[in-house]
Amino acid sequence: MTTTSFDVIVIGAGPGGYIAAIRAAQLGLKTACIDAWTNAAGGPAPGGTCTNVGCIPSKALLQSSEHYEHAAKHFADHGIGVKGLSLDVAKMVGRKDDVVKQNNDGILYLFKKNKVTFFHGTGSFVGGTANAWQVKVGEQVLTGKQVVVATGSSARALPGLPFDEDKILSNDGALRIGAVPKKLGLIGAGVIGLEMGSVWRRLGAEVTVLEGLPAFLGAVDEQIAREAQKAFVRQGLKIELGVKVGEVKTSKKGVSVTWTNAKGEAQTLEVDKLIVSIGRVPNTTGLNAEAVGLKLDERGAIIVDADCRSSVPGIWAVGDVVRGPMLAHKAEEEGVAVAERIAGQHGHVDFNLIPWVIYTSPEIAWVGQTEQQLKAAGRAYKAGTFPFMANGRARALGDTTGMVKFLADAKTDEILGVHIVGPMASELIAEACVAMAFRASAEDIARICHAHPSLSEATKEAALAVDKRTLNF
Ligand code: FAD
Ligand code: NAI
Protein backbone atom coordinates (compact mmCIF):
# COMPACT_ATOMS: atom_id res chain seq x y z
CA MET A 1 0.00 0.00 0.00
CA THR A 2 1.24 3.49 -0.83
CA THR A 3 0.35 6.50 1.28
CA THR A 4 0.00 9.93 -0.18
CA SER A 5 -0.54 13.14 1.76
CA PHE A 6 -2.79 15.98 0.72
CA ASP A 7 -3.94 19.26 2.20
CA VAL A 8 -7.48 18.45 1.10
CA ILE A 9 -9.16 15.19 0.12
CA VAL A 10 -12.57 15.53 -1.50
CA ILE A 11 -14.75 12.41 -1.57
CA GLY A 12 -17.20 12.59 -4.47
CA ALA A 13 -16.85 14.44 -7.78
CA GLY A 14 -20.41 15.65 -8.27
CA PRO A 15 -21.00 19.42 -8.55
CA GLY A 16 -20.30 19.84 -4.82
CA GLY A 17 -17.09 17.81 -4.81
CA TYR A 18 -15.44 18.61 -8.12
CA ILE A 19 -16.00 22.32 -7.69
CA ALA A 20 -14.66 22.20 -4.10
CA ALA A 21 -11.56 20.37 -5.38
CA ILE A 22 -10.93 22.87 -8.17
CA ARG A 23 -11.38 25.86 -5.86
CA ALA A 24 -9.08 24.30 -3.22
CA ALA A 25 -6.41 23.68 -5.86
CA GLN A 26 -6.80 27.23 -7.20
CA LEU A 27 -6.08 28.43 -3.66
CA GLY A 28 -2.77 26.57 -3.67
CA LEU A 29 -3.84 23.55 -1.63
CA LYS A 30 -2.57 20.09 -2.61
CA THR A 31 -5.88 18.45 -3.46
CA ALA A 32 -7.14 14.95 -4.23
CA CYS A 33 -10.63 14.08 -5.44
CA ILE A 34 -11.99 10.54 -5.24
CA ASP A 35 -15.05 9.44 -7.19
CA ALA A 36 -16.62 6.05 -7.66
CA TRP A 37 -18.88 6.66 -10.69
CA THR A 38 -18.02 4.28 -13.53
CA ASN A 39 -19.12 4.57 -17.17
CA ALA A 40 -20.27 1.69 -19.37
CA ALA A 41 -16.67 1.06 -20.46
CA GLY A 42 -15.50 0.75 -16.85
CA GLY A 43 -13.76 4.13 -16.85
CA PRO A 44 -14.25 7.10 -14.53
CA ALA A 45 -17.29 9.31 -15.04
CA PRO A 46 -16.87 12.30 -12.71
CA GLY A 47 -19.74 14.75 -12.37
CA GLY A 48 -21.94 12.74 -10.04
CA THR A 49 -25.69 12.43 -10.25
CA CYS A 50 -25.91 15.82 -11.93
CA THR A 51 -23.75 14.92 -14.91
CA ASN A 52 -24.51 11.21 -15.25
CA VAL A 53 -28.17 10.71 -14.35
CA GLY A 54 -29.52 14.11 -13.34
CA CYS A 55 -29.38 17.73 -14.48
CA ILE A 56 -27.45 17.28 -17.73
CA PRO A 57 -29.01 14.14 -19.28
CA SER A 58 -32.52 15.20 -18.24
CA LYS A 59 -32.06 18.56 -19.94
CA ALA A 60 -30.67 16.86 -23.07
CA LEU A 61 -33.81 14.68 -23.31
CA LEU A 62 -36.09 17.61 -22.44
CA GLN A 63 -34.53 19.54 -25.35
CA SER A 64 -34.82 16.64 -27.81
CA SER A 65 -38.39 15.86 -26.84
CA GLU A 66 -39.33 19.54 -27.08
CA HIS A 67 -37.92 19.69 -30.63
CA TYR A 68 -40.01 16.64 -31.50
CA GLU A 69 -43.17 18.11 -30.03
CA HIS A 70 -42.58 21.41 -31.82
CA ALA A 71 -42.11 19.62 -35.14
CA ALA A 72 -45.21 17.49 -34.55
CA LYS A 73 -47.55 20.15 -33.17
CA HIS A 74 -46.28 23.69 -33.50
CA PHE A 75 -44.26 24.07 -36.71
CA ALA A 76 -47.53 24.17 -38.67
CA ASP A 77 -48.43 27.45 -36.89
CA HIS A 78 -45.31 28.95 -38.49
CA GLY A 79 -46.27 27.69 -41.93
CA ILE A 80 -43.77 24.87 -41.81
CA GLY A 81 -45.04 21.47 -42.89
CA VAL A 82 -43.28 18.31 -41.82
CA LYS A 83 -43.95 15.11 -43.72
CA GLY A 84 -42.92 11.73 -42.41
CA LEU A 85 -41.81 12.93 -38.99
CA SER A 86 -40.08 10.06 -37.24
CA LEU A 87 -38.53 9.36 -33.90
CA ASP A 88 -35.35 7.39 -33.22
CA VAL A 89 -35.31 6.96 -29.44
CA ALA A 90 -32.01 5.09 -29.49
CA LYS A 91 -30.37 8.02 -31.29
CA MET A 92 -31.96 10.52 -28.92
CA VAL A 93 -30.70 8.59 -25.88
CA GLY A 94 -27.31 8.16 -27.61
CA ARG A 95 -27.04 11.93 -28.09
CA LYS A 96 -27.85 12.39 -24.41
CA ASP A 97 -25.05 9.91 -23.57
CA ASP A 98 -22.63 11.92 -25.75
CA VAL A 99 -23.56 15.12 -23.90
CA VAL A 100 -22.91 13.32 -20.60
CA LYS A 101 -19.52 12.07 -21.86
CA GLN A 102 -18.49 15.58 -22.94
CA ASN A 103 -19.20 16.76 -19.40
CA ASN A 104 -17.32 13.81 -17.80
CA ASP A 105 -14.32 14.52 -20.01
CA GLY A 106 -14.57 18.23 -19.28
CA ILE A 107 -14.22 17.58 -15.54
CA LEU A 108 -11.21 15.27 -16.04
CA TYR A 109 -9.64 18.05 -18.13
CA LEU A 110 -10.39 20.64 -15.40
CA PHE A 111 -8.77 18.37 -12.78
CA LYS A 112 -5.59 18.20 -14.91
CA LYS A 113 -5.63 21.92 -15.63
CA ASN A 114 -5.98 22.77 -11.93
CA LYS A 115 -3.61 20.01 -10.72
CA VAL A 116 -6.23 18.11 -8.75
CA THR A 117 -5.12 14.47 -8.31
CA PHE A 118 -8.05 12.25 -9.28
CA PHE A 119 -8.63 8.76 -7.89
CA HIS A 120 -11.28 6.50 -9.42
CA GLY A 121 -12.87 4.32 -6.75
CA THR A 122 -14.81 4.34 -3.52
CA GLY A 123 -13.33 6.47 -0.78
CA SER A 124 -13.82 5.17 2.76
CA PHE A 125 -12.54 6.54 6.03
CA VAL A 126 -9.93 4.39 7.75
CA GLY A 127 -9.41 6.58 10.80
CA GLY A 128 -6.82 9.14 11.82
CA THR A 129 -6.75 12.26 13.91
CA ALA A 130 -7.27 15.98 13.32
CA ASN A 131 -4.96 17.18 10.54
CA ALA A 132 -4.23 13.61 9.44
CA TRP A 133 -7.42 11.86 8.33
CA GLN A 134 -6.94 8.64 6.43
CA VAL A 135 -9.09 7.71 3.48
CA LYS A 136 -8.72 4.46 1.58
CA VAL A 137 -9.30 4.20 -2.15
CA GLY A 138 -8.53 0.87 -3.78
CA GLU A 139 -5.22 -0.30 -2.31
CA GLN A 140 -4.08 3.21 -1.43
CA VAL A 141 -4.46 5.09 1.83
CA LEU A 142 -4.45 8.86 1.42
CA THR A 143 -3.85 11.21 4.32
CA GLY A 144 -5.60 14.56 4.34
CA LYS A 145 -5.30 17.54 6.65
CA GLN A 146 -8.89 18.33 5.72
CA VAL A 147 -11.56 16.16 4.12
CA VAL A 148 -14.64 17.34 2.24
CA VAL A 149 -17.40 14.75 1.92
CA ALA A 150 -19.54 15.33 -1.18
CA THR A 151 -21.05 11.91 -1.73
CA GLY A 152 -24.44 13.11 -2.95
CA SER A 153 -27.75 11.28 -2.93
CA SER A 154 -29.66 8.40 -4.52
CA ALA A 155 -33.26 7.87 -5.50
CA ARG A 156 -35.59 6.80 -2.68
CA ALA A 157 -37.48 3.59 -3.42
CA LEU A 158 -40.99 2.80 -2.23
CA PRO A 159 -40.81 0.39 0.72
CA GLY A 160 -40.60 -3.19 -0.60
CA LEU A 161 -40.32 -2.05 -4.23
CA PRO A 162 -36.66 -1.94 -5.27
CA PHE A 163 -35.75 -0.37 -8.60
CA ASP A 164 -35.16 -2.98 -11.31
CA GLU A 165 -34.56 -0.21 -13.90
CA ASP A 166 -36.64 -2.20 -16.37
CA LYS A 167 -40.21 -1.75 -15.16
CA ILE A 168 -39.68 0.05 -11.86
CA LEU A 169 -37.45 2.97 -12.72
CA SER A 170 -35.46 5.50 -10.76
CA ASN A 171 -34.17 8.64 -12.49
CA ASP A 172 -31.40 6.43 -13.88
CA GLY A 173 -33.71 4.05 -15.76
CA ALA A 174 -36.10 6.89 -16.65
CA LEU A 175 -33.28 8.48 -18.66
CA ARG A 176 -32.55 5.40 -20.76
CA ILE A 177 -35.91 3.91 -21.69
CA GLY A 178 -35.27 2.23 -25.05
CA ALA A 179 -38.65 2.81 -26.72
CA VAL A 180 -41.55 5.13 -25.92
CA PRO A 181 -43.83 3.25 -23.50
CA LYS A 182 -47.51 3.31 -24.47
CA LYS A 183 -48.47 3.97 -20.87
CA LEU A 184 -46.14 5.43 -18.28
CA GLY A 185 -46.90 5.88 -14.59
CA LEU A 186 -45.04 8.13 -12.18
CA ILE A 187 -45.27 8.18 -8.42
CA GLY A 188 -44.49 11.67 -7.11
CA ALA A 189 -45.37 14.90 -8.92
CA GLY A 190 -42.17 16.61 -7.79
CA VAL A 191 -39.39 17.96 -9.93
CA ILE A 192 -38.30 14.64 -11.46
CA GLY A 193 -41.88 13.47 -11.94
CA LEU A 194 -42.78 16.58 -13.93
CA GLU A 195 -39.56 16.74 -15.96
CA MET A 196 -39.45 13.04 -16.84
CA GLY A 197 -43.22 12.91 -17.31
CA SER A 198 -42.90 15.79 -19.79
CA VAL A 199 -40.15 14.06 -21.77
CA TRP A 200 -42.06 10.83 -22.31
CA ARG A 201 -45.45 12.54 -22.82
CA ARG A 202 -43.95 14.71 -25.58
CA LEU A 203 -42.63 11.58 -27.24
CA GLY A 204 -46.09 10.00 -27.24
CA ALA A 205 -46.57 8.14 -23.95
CA GLU A 206 -49.84 8.37 -22.04
CA VAL A 207 -48.54 9.64 -18.71
CA THR A 208 -50.27 9.45 -15.30
CA VAL A 209 -48.67 11.02 -12.24
CA LEU A 210 -49.81 9.93 -8.76
CA GLU A 211 -48.99 12.48 -6.07
CA GLY A 212 -49.50 11.87 -2.36
CA LEU A 213 -50.01 15.47 -1.28
CA PRO A 214 -53.33 17.23 -1.88
CA ALA A 215 -51.61 20.35 -3.28
CA PHE A 216 -49.77 20.52 -6.60
CA LEU A 217 -46.12 21.64 -6.16
CA GLY A 218 -46.69 22.66 -2.55
CA ALA A 219 -43.35 24.51 -2.25
CA VAL A 220 -44.07 26.73 -5.26
CA ASP A 221 -45.98 30.02 -5.05
CA GLU A 222 -49.64 28.92 -5.23
CA GLN A 223 -50.60 31.25 -8.08
CA ILE A 224 -47.65 30.04 -10.15
CA ALA A 225 -48.33 26.38 -9.31
CA ARG A 226 -51.99 26.74 -10.39
CA GLU A 227 -50.94 28.27 -13.70
CA ALA A 228 -48.39 25.49 -14.29
CA GLN A 229 -50.86 22.75 -13.38
CA LYS A 230 -53.40 24.12 -15.87
CA ALA A 231 -50.74 24.10 -18.60
CA PHE A 232 -49.61 20.53 -17.86
CA VAL A 233 -53.18 19.22 -17.82
CA ARG A 234 -53.85 21.00 -21.14
CA GLN A 235 -50.82 19.22 -22.56
CA GLY A 236 -52.30 15.87 -21.58
CA LEU A 237 -50.38 15.03 -18.41
CA LYS A 238 -52.78 13.25 -16.04
CA ILE A 239 -52.04 14.43 -12.51
CA GLU A 240 -53.85 12.83 -9.57
CA LEU A 241 -53.38 14.60 -6.23
CA GLY A 242 -53.96 13.37 -2.68
CA VAL A 243 -53.54 9.73 -3.65
CA LYS A 244 -52.51 6.83 -1.49
CA VAL A 245 -50.45 4.27 -3.35
CA GLY A 246 -51.22 0.67 -2.38
CA GLU A 247 -49.79 -2.47 -3.93
CA VAL A 248 -47.47 -2.38 -6.92
CA LYS A 249 -47.15 -5.60 -8.91
CA THR A 250 -44.92 -6.25 -11.89
CA SER A 251 -45.60 -8.87 -14.53
CA LYS A 252 -44.26 -9.66 -18.00
CA LYS A 253 -46.87 -7.27 -19.40
CA GLY A 254 -46.06 -4.31 -17.19
CA VAL A 255 -46.88 -2.80 -13.83
CA SER A 256 -50.16 -2.68 -11.96
CA VAL A 257 -50.58 -0.07 -9.21
CA THR A 258 -53.53 -0.03 -6.85
CA TRP A 259 -54.25 3.37 -5.33
CA THR A 260 -57.02 5.37 -3.73
CA ASN A 261 -57.92 8.81 -4.98
CA ALA A 262 -58.54 11.93 -2.88
CA LYS A 263 -62.17 10.83 -2.37
CA GLY A 264 -60.97 7.48 -0.99
CA GLU A 265 -62.13 5.50 -4.06
CA ALA A 266 -60.08 2.45 -5.00
CA GLN A 267 -58.36 2.68 -8.40
CA THR A 268 -55.95 0.62 -10.49
CA LEU A 269 -53.35 1.98 -12.88
CA GLU A 270 -51.94 -0.38 -15.51
CA VAL A 271 -48.77 0.90 -17.15
CA ASP A 272 -45.83 -0.44 -19.15
CA LYS A 273 -43.31 1.25 -16.89
CA LEU A 274 -43.40 3.04 -13.55
CA ILE A 275 -41.02 5.82 -12.53
CA VAL A 276 -40.77 6.28 -8.76
CA SER A 277 -39.71 9.85 -8.02
CA ILE A 278 -40.54 10.41 -4.37
CA GLY A 279 -37.39 12.21 -3.25
CA ARG A 280 -33.79 11.25 -2.64
CA VAL A 281 -31.69 9.92 0.23
CA PRO A 282 -28.16 11.04 1.19
CA ASN A 283 -25.30 8.67 0.21
CA THR A 284 -23.13 7.55 3.09
CA THR A 285 -22.86 3.83 2.44
CA GLY A 286 -19.29 2.81 1.65
CA LEU A 287 -17.96 5.91 3.38
CA ASN A 288 -17.31 4.16 6.70
CA ALA A 289 -18.32 7.35 8.50
CA GLU A 290 -18.15 5.49 11.85
CA ALA A 291 -14.34 5.21 11.56
CA VAL A 292 -14.03 8.94 12.22
CA GLY A 293 -17.22 9.39 14.25
CA LEU A 294 -19.16 11.49 11.72
CA LYS A 295 -22.66 12.20 13.06
CA LEU A 296 -25.63 11.55 10.78
CA ASP A 297 -29.22 12.71 11.22
CA GLU A 298 -32.32 10.48 11.09
CA ARG A 299 -32.40 10.73 7.24
CA GLY A 300 -28.78 9.59 7.03
CA ALA A 301 -27.52 13.08 6.09
CA ILE A 302 -24.21 14.22 7.55
CA ILE A 303 -24.90 16.78 10.26
CA VAL A 304 -23.19 20.09 9.50
CA ASP A 305 -23.44 23.66 10.71
CA ALA A 306 -24.30 26.62 8.46
CA ASP A 307 -20.67 26.65 7.26
CA CYS A 308 -20.67 22.92 6.34
CA ARG A 309 -18.47 21.89 9.29
CA SER A 310 -19.29 18.34 10.42
CA SER A 311 -19.17 17.11 14.01
CA VAL A 312 -15.50 16.16 13.44
CA PRO A 313 -12.80 18.88 13.24
CA GLY A 314 -11.28 19.11 9.75
CA ILE A 315 -14.08 17.11 8.10
CA TRP A 316 -16.61 19.07 6.08
CA ALA A 317 -19.63 18.01 4.02
CA VAL A 318 -21.46 19.71 1.15
CA GLY A 319 -24.27 19.18 -1.35
CA ASP A 320 -27.00 16.55 -1.31
CA VAL A 321 -25.39 14.63 1.56
CA VAL A 322 -26.22 17.50 3.96
CA ARG A 323 -29.32 19.54 4.86
CA GLY A 324 -30.93 21.97 2.45
CA PRO A 325 -32.24 21.77 -1.08
CA MET A 326 -30.83 19.04 -3.30
CA LEU A 327 -29.66 21.29 -6.13
CA ALA A 328 -26.43 21.26 -8.12
CA HIS A 329 -25.81 25.00 -7.77
CA LYS A 330 -26.38 24.83 -3.99
CA ALA A 331 -23.79 22.02 -3.84
CA GLU A 332 -21.36 24.09 -5.93
CA GLU A 333 -21.77 27.20 -3.77
CA GLU A 334 -21.10 25.15 -0.65
CA GLY A 335 -18.08 23.52 -2.31
CA VAL A 336 -16.51 26.89 -3.14
CA ALA A 337 -17.28 28.32 0.30
CA VAL A 338 -15.73 25.31 2.09
CA ALA A 339 -12.55 25.43 -0.02
CA GLU A 340 -12.24 29.13 0.77
CA ARG A 341 -12.81 28.54 4.50
CA ILE A 342 -10.14 25.82 4.50
CA ALA A 343 -7.76 28.32 2.87
CA GLY A 344 -8.51 30.82 5.64
CA GLN A 345 -10.86 32.96 3.57
CA HIS A 346 -14.47 33.89 4.31
CA GLY A 347 -16.57 31.66 2.08
CA HIS A 348 -20.21 32.66 1.92
CA VAL A 349 -23.48 31.08 0.77
CA ASP A 350 -26.76 32.98 0.95
CA PHE A 351 -29.27 30.18 1.47
CA ASN A 352 -32.15 32.64 0.98
CA LEU A 353 -31.08 33.33 -2.58
CA ILE A 354 -30.81 29.88 -4.09
CA PRO A 355 -32.98 29.81 -7.21
CA TRP A 356 -35.12 26.83 -8.16
CA VAL A 357 -35.97 25.87 -11.72
CA ILE A 358 -38.26 23.14 -13.04
CA TYR A 359 -37.38 22.62 -16.70
CA THR A 360 -40.82 21.72 -17.96
CA SER A 361 -42.65 23.69 -20.62
CA PRO A 362 -43.63 26.20 -19.37
CA GLU A 363 -40.57 26.42 -17.18
CA ILE A 364 -41.07 27.29 -13.52
CA ALA A 365 -38.44 29.33 -11.68
CA TRP A 366 -38.36 31.20 -8.42
CA VAL A 367 -36.12 32.80 -5.85
CA GLY A 368 -36.94 34.12 -2.40
CA GLN A 369 -40.24 33.85 -0.60
CA THR A 370 -43.62 32.73 -1.89
CA GLU A 371 -46.83 34.65 -1.24
CA GLN A 372 -48.03 31.92 1.14
CA GLN A 373 -44.75 32.14 3.11
CA LEU A 374 -45.07 35.92 3.44
CA LYS A 375 -48.69 35.56 4.59
CA ALA A 376 -47.71 32.91 7.14
CA ALA A 377 -44.93 35.17 8.45
CA GLY A 378 -47.37 38.09 8.72
CA ARG A 379 -45.13 40.23 6.48
CA ALA A 380 -46.80 43.20 4.78
CA TYR A 381 -46.10 42.90 1.05
CA LYS A 382 -47.17 44.15 -2.37
CA ALA A 383 -47.55 41.85 -5.38
CA GLY A 384 -47.24 42.62 -9.07
CA THR A 385 -47.76 40.24 -11.97
CA PHE A 386 -47.35 40.50 -15.73
CA PRO A 387 -48.59 37.83 -18.17
CA PHE A 388 -46.42 36.66 -21.08
CA MET A 389 -49.59 36.97 -23.18
CA ALA A 390 -48.93 40.72 -23.17
CA ASN A 391 -45.23 40.41 -24.06
CA GLY A 392 -44.31 40.97 -27.72
CA ARG A 393 -41.36 38.58 -27.76
CA ALA A 394 -43.44 35.78 -26.21
CA ARG A 395 -46.09 36.29 -28.89
CA ALA A 396 -43.42 36.16 -31.61
CA LEU A 397 -42.07 32.96 -30.06
CA GLY A 398 -45.58 31.51 -29.95
CA ASP A 399 -45.15 30.79 -26.25
CA THR A 400 -47.41 33.03 -24.19
CA THR A 401 -48.26 30.77 -21.24
CA GLY A 402 -47.56 32.08 -17.77
CA MET A 403 -46.43 35.18 -15.98
CA VAL A 404 -43.77 36.92 -13.93
CA LYS A 405 -44.71 37.74 -10.35
CA PHE A 406 -42.92 40.10 -7.98
CA LEU A 407 -43.40 40.24 -4.23
CA ALA A 408 -41.98 43.31 -2.51
CA ASP A 409 -42.02 44.69 1.01
CA ALA A 410 -45.06 46.94 1.50
CA LYS A 411 -43.02 49.75 3.02
CA THR A 412 -39.48 49.56 1.67
CA ASP A 413 -40.33 48.02 -1.73
CA GLU A 414 -37.41 45.56 -1.28
CA ILE A 415 -37.91 42.53 -3.52
CA LEU A 416 -38.79 39.53 -1.34
CA GLY A 417 -39.51 36.96 -4.02
CA VAL A 418 -39.75 36.56 -7.78
CA HIS A 419 -41.76 33.74 -9.33
CA ILE A 420 -41.94 32.91 -13.00
CA VAL A 421 -43.87 30.37 -15.01
CA GLY A 422 -43.32 30.68 -18.72
CA PRO A 423 -40.77 30.61 -21.53
CA MET A 424 -37.07 30.73 -20.52
CA ALA A 425 -37.95 31.21 -16.85
CA SER A 426 -34.63 29.46 -16.06
CA GLU A 427 -32.70 32.32 -17.67
CA LEU A 428 -34.99 35.14 -16.57
CA ILE A 429 -34.65 34.24 -12.89
CA ALA A 430 -30.97 35.27 -12.90
CA GLU A 431 -31.93 38.94 -13.03
CA ALA A 432 -34.05 38.48 -9.91
CA CYS A 433 -31.16 36.72 -8.11
CA VAL A 434 -28.79 39.59 -8.91
CA ALA A 435 -31.36 42.19 -7.89
CA MET A 436 -32.11 40.44 -4.60
CA ALA A 437 -28.43 39.90 -3.83
CA PHE A 438 -28.02 43.67 -4.04
CA ARG A 439 -31.25 44.11 -2.03
CA ALA A 440 -32.87 45.98 -4.88
CA SER A 441 -36.38 47.37 -4.74
CA ALA A 442 -39.06 46.57 -7.31
CA GLU A 443 -38.72 50.17 -8.44
CA ASP A 444 -35.00 49.61 -9.17
CA ILE A 445 -35.92 46.92 -11.71
CA ALA A 446 -38.78 49.01 -13.06
CA ARG A 447 -36.38 51.90 -13.76
CA ILE A 448 -33.77 49.80 -15.60
CA CYS A 449 -33.85 49.79 -19.41
CA HIS A 450 -34.61 46.25 -20.69
CA ALA A 451 -34.05 45.34 -24.36
CA HIS A 452 -37.07 45.25 -26.65
CA PRO A 453 -38.47 42.89 -27.65
CA SER A 454 -37.36 40.50 -24.96
CA LEU A 455 -38.94 38.20 -22.40
CA SER A 456 -37.07 40.21 -19.76
CA GLU A 457 -39.49 43.07 -20.41
CA ALA A 458 -42.07 40.93 -18.61
CA THR A 459 -39.79 41.07 -15.57
CA LYS A 460 -39.62 44.85 -15.76
CA GLU A 461 -43.39 45.07 -16.25
CA ALA A 462 -44.05 42.80 -13.25
CA ALA A 463 -41.84 45.13 -11.20
CA LEU A 464 -43.91 48.06 -12.48
CA ALA A 465 -47.05 46.14 -11.56
CA VAL A 466 -45.99 46.19 -7.91
CA ASP A 467 -46.70 49.93 -8.10
CA LYS A 468 -49.80 49.30 -10.27
CA ARG A 469 -48.32 51.02 -13.31
CA THR A 470 -47.70 48.43 -16.01
CA LEU A 471 -47.38 49.99 -19.45
CA ASN A 472 -48.34 47.09 -21.68
CA PHE A 473 -51.17 45.45 -19.77
P1 FAD B 1 -23.78 14.00 -6.55
O1 FAD B 1 -23.95 14.73 -7.82
O2 FAD B 1 -24.74 12.93 -6.22
O3 FAD B 1 -22.31 13.40 -6.61
C1 FAD B 1 -21.80 12.58 -5.62
C2 FAD B 1 -20.68 11.74 -6.21
O4 FAD B 1 -20.02 11.07 -5.14
C3 FAD B 1 -21.14 10.66 -7.17
O5 FAD B 1 -20.33 10.65 -8.31
C4 FAD B 1 -20.96 9.37 -6.38
O6 FAD B 1 -20.66 8.26 -7.21
C5 FAD B 1 -19.76 9.73 -5.53
N1 FAD B 1 -19.64 8.94 -4.31
C6 FAD B 1 -20.58 8.60 -3.39
N2 FAD B 1 -20.02 7.92 -2.37
C7 FAD B 1 -18.70 7.83 -2.66
C8 FAD B 1 -17.59 7.26 -2.00
N3 FAD B 1 -17.72 6.68 -0.81
N4 FAD B 1 -16.38 7.33 -2.60
C9 FAD B 1 -16.22 7.94 -3.80
N5 FAD B 1 -17.24 8.51 -4.47
C10 FAD B 1 -18.45 8.45 -3.90
N6 FAD B 1 -30.21 19.98 -9.72
C11 FAD B 1 -30.19 21.20 -10.28
O7 FAD B 1 -29.71 22.15 -9.67
N7 FAD B 1 -30.70 21.40 -11.54
C12 FAD B 1 -31.24 20.39 -12.25
O8 FAD B 1 -31.69 20.61 -13.38
C13 FAD B 1 -31.29 19.11 -11.69
N8 FAD B 1 -31.82 18.08 -12.35
C14 FAD B 1 -31.83 16.85 -11.79
C15 FAD B 1 -32.43 15.81 -12.49
C16 FAD B 1 -32.48 14.55 -11.94
C17 FAD B 1 -33.12 13.43 -12.72
C18 FAD B 1 -31.89 14.32 -10.67
C19 FAD B 1 -31.88 12.95 -10.07
C20 FAD B 1 -31.30 15.33 -9.96
C21 FAD B 1 -31.29 16.62 -10.51
N9 FAD B 1 -30.74 17.70 -9.83
C22 FAD B 1 -30.74 18.94 -10.39
C23 FAD B 1 -30.14 17.53 -8.49
C24 FAD B 1 -28.61 17.45 -8.62
O9 FAD B 1 -28.28 16.39 -9.48
C25 FAD B 1 -27.98 17.26 -7.26
O10 FAD B 1 -28.44 18.25 -6.36
C26 FAD B 1 -26.47 17.33 -7.36
O11 FAD B 1 -25.97 16.36 -8.24
C27 FAD B 1 -25.83 17.17 -5.99
O12 FAD B 1 -24.45 17.25 -6.11
P2 FAD B 1 -23.47 16.51 -5.10
O13 FAD B 1 -22.10 16.87 -5.53
O14 FAD B 1 -23.88 16.82 -3.72
O15 FAD B 1 -23.74 14.97 -5.29
P1 NAI C 1 -39.34 15.88 -4.94
O1 NAI C 1 -39.11 16.06 -3.49
O2 NAI C 1 -39.17 17.03 -5.85
O3 NAI C 1 -40.80 15.32 -5.19
C1 NAI C 1 -41.24 14.12 -4.62
C2 NAI C 1 -42.75 14.12 -4.67
O4 NAI C 1 -43.18 12.82 -4.35
C3 NAI C 1 -43.37 15.08 -3.67
O5 NAI C 1 -44.33 15.87 -4.31
C4 NAI C 1 -43.95 14.15 -2.62
O6 NAI C 1 -45.11 14.68 -2.01
C5 NAI C 1 -44.27 12.93 -3.45
N1 NAI C 1 -44.32 11.68 -2.69
C6 NAI C 1 -43.47 11.26 -1.73
N2 NAI C 1 -43.81 10.04 -1.31
C7 NAI C 1 -44.90 9.66 -2.01
C8 NAI C 1 -45.70 8.49 -2.05
N3 NAI C 1 -45.45 7.44 -1.26
N4 NAI C 1 -46.75 8.46 -2.90
C9 NAI C 1 -47.03 9.50 -3.73
N5 NAI C 1 -46.29 10.65 -3.74
C10 NAI C 1 -45.23 10.72 -2.91
O7 NAI C 1 -38.38 14.66 -5.35
P2 NAI C 1 -37.92 14.10 -6.77
O8 NAI C 1 -38.83 14.54 -7.85
O9 NAI C 1 -37.66 12.67 -6.55
O10 NAI C 1 -36.56 14.85 -6.98
C11 NAI C 1 -35.56 14.77 -5.97
C12 NAI C 1 -34.80 16.04 -5.91
O11 NAI C 1 -33.90 16.12 -7.00
C13 NAI C 1 -35.64 17.30 -6.01
O12 NAI C 1 -36.23 17.65 -4.80
C14 NAI C 1 -34.61 18.29 -6.41
O13 NAI C 1 -33.91 18.70 -5.28
C15 NAI C 1 -33.70 17.47 -7.30
N6 NAI C 1 -34.06 17.73 -8.70
C16 NAI C 1 -33.91 19.00 -9.17
C17 NAI C 1 -34.25 19.31 -10.46
C18 NAI C 1 -34.13 20.71 -10.92
O14 NAI C 1 -33.52 21.50 -10.22
N7 NAI C 1 -34.70 21.06 -12.07
C19 NAI C 1 -34.73 18.29 -11.40
C20 NAI C 1 -34.89 16.99 -10.77
C21 NAI C 1 -34.53 16.75 -9.49
Side-chain angles (χ1 to χ4, degrees), residues 245-420:
V245 174
E247 211 180 359
V248 181
K249 276 194 198 150
T250 55
S251 66
K252 264 197 188 147
K253 266 172 56 199
V255 187
S256 170
V257 184
T258 57
W259 57 284
T260 45
N261 65 17
K263 293 182 200 147
E265 296 159 342
Q267 311 280 331
T268 307
L269 176 70
E270 307 281 352
V271 288
D272 302 305
K273 292 187 186 287
L274 182 74
I275 299 174
V276 179
S277 48
I278 56 168
R280 299 179 61 79
V281 287
N283 282 335
T284 48
T285 40
L287 190 61
N288 199 21
E290 316 78 71
V292 287
L294 270 183
K295 283 200 184 125
L296 310 184
D297 69 13
E298 62 292 346
R299 294 182 314 126
I302 296 175
I303 296 175
V304 289
D305 67 10
D307 288 347
C308 295
R309 282 186 186 83
S310 78
S311 54
V312 181
I315 302 183
W316 310 71
V318 301
D320 281 12
V321 78
V322 303
R323 78 292 158 277
M326 290 185 168
L327 294 173
H329 42 283
K330 176 262 192 185
E332 290 183 12
E333 291 298 305
E334 287 183 332
V336 168
V338 162
E340 291 178 351
R341 285 173 195 133
I342 289 173
Q345 299 186 354
H346 298 279
H348 173 72
V349 181
D350 188 343
F351 289 100
N352 294 317
L353 287 184
I354 294 172
W356 274 85
V357 178
I358 306 177
Y359 293 82
T360 41
S361 178
E363 291 186 342
I364 305 166
W366 72 97
V367 61
Q369 310 227 48
T370 60
E371 195 162 353
Q372 60 267 27
Q373 282 173 328
L374 293 176
K375 276 188 185 144
R379 181 98 182 238
Y381 66 92
K382 300 176 285 183
T385 58
F386 187 82
F388 283 106
M389 210 178 48
N391 173 271
R393 183 74 192 278
R395 287 197 204 112
L397 285 172
D399 197 354
T400 54
T401 308
M403 67 177 89
V404 180
K405 172 172 179 175
F406 265 62
L407 297 167
D409 186 90
K411 264 205 191 123
T412 65
D413 197 37
E414 179 175 353
I415 305 167
L416 302 174
V418 176
H419 306 268
I420 308 174

Side-chain angles (χ1 to χ4, degrees), residues 13-14 18 33 35 37-39 43-49 51-52 100 103-109 111 118 120:
Y18 92 78
C33 186
D35 191 83
W37 210 293
T38 301
N39 61 25
T49 301
T51 300
N52 292 294
V100 167
N103 282 272
N104 296 142
D105 292 347
I107 295 168
L108 289 171
Y109 161 79
F111 280 162
F118 177 68
H120 184 211

Side-chain angles (χ1 to χ4, degrees), residues 134-157:
Q134 291 165 340
V135 180
K136 188 169 185 279
V137 49
E139 289 306 304
Q140 283 183 290
V141 175
L142 315 181
T143 303
K145 288 183 188 157
Q146 309 269 331
V147 179
V148 182
V149 180
T151 46
S153 66
S154 305
R156 184 159 77 88

Side-chain angles (χ1 to χ4, degrees), residues 16-88:
Y18 92 78
I19 289 290
I22 289 174
R23 186 70 191 118
Q26 280 177 349
L27 291 164
L29 298 162
K30 189 181 174 200
T31 306
C33 186
I34 306 170
D35 191 83
W37 210 293
T38 301
N39 61 25
T49 301
C50 170
T51 300
N52 292 294
V53 291
C55 325
I56 301 298
S58 60
K59 266 81 254 178
L61 289 186
L62 277 157
Q63 190 60 54
S64 299
S65 60
E66 194 164 9
H67 284 324
Y68 179 73
E69 187 168 61
H70 276 297
K73 295 189 181 158
H74 305 304
F75 275 11
D77 299 341
H78 297 259
I80 304 168
V82 181
K83 283 210 182 86
L85 181 68
S86 67
L87 180 64
D88 182 342

